[in-house]
Amino acid sequence: QDFADIDWPGSRGVDPAQSLVLFDDHQDALVRMQQAQSRGFTRMVFDDNYLPLQGDAYSVQQICDESGGASLLRYFGGSRTNTVDRLGDFALKHTLLRMAEHHHNREWFLRAAQTYFVFPPVLYHSAFARTQLFGRVQLGSKRARRFRTQLRRPSPGFLDVMGAHFVPPPLVQTPAQLAEAQ
């Protein structure tokens, strides 16, 4: 049963004010946040928090990116800067937002969220980013698959630099720390 279809306080005996909702469902984060707030939930975690131009759902990081990914598109050789992809339902739902709509969503989120925090990865190495496919999944298909986009694949050196500057340091950085945590 979908989160939005459940009568949380009534049928489940849940106190929304004292609960934490974990969304790991590849759905539009803005819609999920609005649904949760309308049911009285105030604490939410979004697992699928993709960077702009990545992933299969409109994520919190994408919502917070003022340019809607346009700055990255320009860097990688793209030309579309006046619309933002809004994906949901594992990329089966797709809407092109005008930049003004994206900014409205961003402003709503910034007003609605008391605290926003991106947790660092537990384990990370820039080589991980080298294995990721750049671009979106093919839309409107039950069997979503990658397709080529206007983005050039960044060089491994560029990914190392991006990882060092934009990815928080991992919580576990050495084998000794990993062994100690176990």
Side-chain angles (χ1 to χ4, degrees), residues 78-112:
S79 59
R80 184 179 52 106
T81 59
N82 58 349
T83 59
V84 176
D85 286 319
R86 183 174 184 175
L87 300 175
D89 195 19
F90 293 90
L92 295 175
K93 294 180 182 173
H94 180 241
T95 306
L96 279 177
L97 297 178
R98 293 186 322 267
M99 195 57 74
E101 292 173 283
H102 174 68
H103 288 159
H104 174 78
N105 292 342
R106 182 177 184 272
E107 291 304 315
W108 183 91
F109 175 82
L110 294 175
R111 281 192 311 274

Side-chain angles (χ1 to χ4, degrees), residues 43-64:
R43 296 175 186 93
M44 292 157 248
V45 174
F46 293 89
D47 175 62
D48 307 304
N49 197 11
Y50 300 105
L51 293 169
L53 306 179
Q54 296 294 297
D56 58 4
Y58 193 45
S59 72
V60 175
Q61 284 193 81
Q62 292 168 0
I63 294 164
C64 289

Side-chain angles (χ1 to χ4, degrees), residues 26-37:
H26 301 262
Q27 303 299 313
D28 183 323
L30 187 69
V31 169
R32 286 301 198 207
M33 187 173 179
Q34 291 166 339
Q35 291 169 343
Q37 284 191 336

Side-chain angles (χ1 to χ4, degrees), residues 46-168:
F46 293 89
D47 175 62
D48 307 304
N49 197 11
Y50 300 105
L51 293 169
L53 306 179
Q54 296 294 297
D56 58 4
Y58 193 45
S59 72
V60 175
Q61 284 193 81
Q62 292 168 0
I63 294 164
C64 289
D65 179 24
E66 190 170 7
S67 79
S71 57
L72 288 172
L73 272 174
R74 281 192 297 270
Y75 181 84
F76 290 115
S79 59
R80 184 179 52 106
T81 59
N82 58 349
T83 59
V84 176
D85 286 319
R86 183 174 184 175
L87 300 175
D89 195 19
F90 293 90
L92 295 175
K93 294 180 182 173
H94 180 241
T95 306
L96 279 177
L97 297 178
R98 293 186 322 267
M99 195 57 74
E101 292 173 283
H102 174 68
H103 288 159
H104 174 78
N105 292 342
R106 182 177 184 272
E107 291 304 315
W108 183 91
F109 175 82
L110 294 175
R111 281 192 311 274
Q114 184 176 356
T115 304
Y116 171 59
F117 181 79
V118 177
F119 289 93
V122 175
L123 295 170
Y124 176 80
H125 188 273
S126 60
F128 172 76
R130 295 181 198 166
T131 66
Q132 301 305 298
L133 294 171
F134 280 75
R136 294 268 191 207
V137 294
Q138 185 173 347
L139 304 173
S141 166
K142 290 286 186 196
R143 295 181 59 221
R145 55 191 179 278
R146 296 287 174 172
F147 70 102
R148 296 181 67 89
T149 67
Q150 59 209 10
L151 300 179
R152 293 190 315 264
R153 183 168 180 81
S155 69
F158 177 78
L159 289 171
D160 288 342
V161 170
M162 292 292 285
H165 286 87
F166 296 108
V167 176

